[in-house]
Amino acid sequence: MSFEVAKRYLDGIGLGDRVIATEAPSSTVEEAAEALGCAPEHIAKTMAFLVDDAPVLVLCAGDARVNNSMFKAFFHTKAKMVPGDAVEELVGHAPGGVCPFGAKPAARVYLDESLRRFDVVYPACGDDHSGVRLTIPELERATNASGWVDVCRGWRTEE
């Protein structure tokens, strides 16, 4: 059901033709990269956190890792992942397919700076057998993000 919700959302904003359904699983960065035919760093993984008891989705590059101190500096709270058994209820998509497309309205979306170095990225599309090929401007439009954040490490060449 989650795939249909995300696809319908993307269809509604004219980006439904970018959805890629895969035969192979795409629930991890490595699986998604292989299934979608791209480098792992081009996967735009969506991480679900609780901030003030509300879901916050942070999309970051596949090779980036959320840094606790950077997260706390921006969100003014410790990085606390949404428990796996509560993700679907709070976000609208199950683990392995979490994405901002068709997510519940309470889920605020942020894009991490780690994505800006790419022309094209591949977020999930609501399930563990899909992805969406989007340019960065299309990603910004499709996510209706609250803004850009810099909460990740591991992707910069100087790190």
Side-chain angles (χ1 to χ4, degrees), residues 3 12 16 32 35 46 49 55 59 64 68 74 78 81 90-91 93 106 108-109 114 116-117 135 138 153 156:
F3 173 83
T46 305
F49 297 95
L59 277 76
N68 287 327
F74 184 85
K78 182 180 176 184
M81 298 286 294
L90 292 174
V91 176
H93 302 299
R108 289 179 306 175
V109 177
S114 60
R116 283 198 201 255
R117 62 195 154 130
T135 66
E138 289 169 339
R153 294 262 189 228
R156 294 177 178 93

Side-chain angles (χ1 to χ4, degrees), residues 104-118:
K104 292 194 174 182
R108 289 179 306 175
V109 177
Y110 292 88
L111 304 175
D112 185 74
E113 290 290 332
S114 60
L115 295 170
R116 283 198 201 255
R117 62 195 154 130
F118 304 117

Side-chain angles (χ1 to χ4, degrees), residues 25-91:
S26 60
S27 60
T28 68
V29 168
E30 293 75 21
E31 288 176 346
E34 186 169 327
L36 297 167
C38 68
E41 57 268 22
H42 286 260
I43 298 300
K45 60 186 176 185
T46 305
M47 303 185 69
F49 297 95
L50 284 175
V51 174
D52 298 326
D53 296 321
V56 167
L57 303 178
V58 176
L59 277 76
C60 57
D63 61 348
R65 295 179 318 278
V66 171
N67 176 278
N68 287 327
S69 62
M70 294 170 77
F71 187 96
K72 188 171 185 175
F74 184 85
F75 290 105
H76 307 291
T77 189
K78 182 180 176 184
K80 179 181 174 190
M81 298 286 294
V82 174
D85 61 352
V87 172
E88 192 166 11
E89 176 187 339
L90 292 174
V91 176

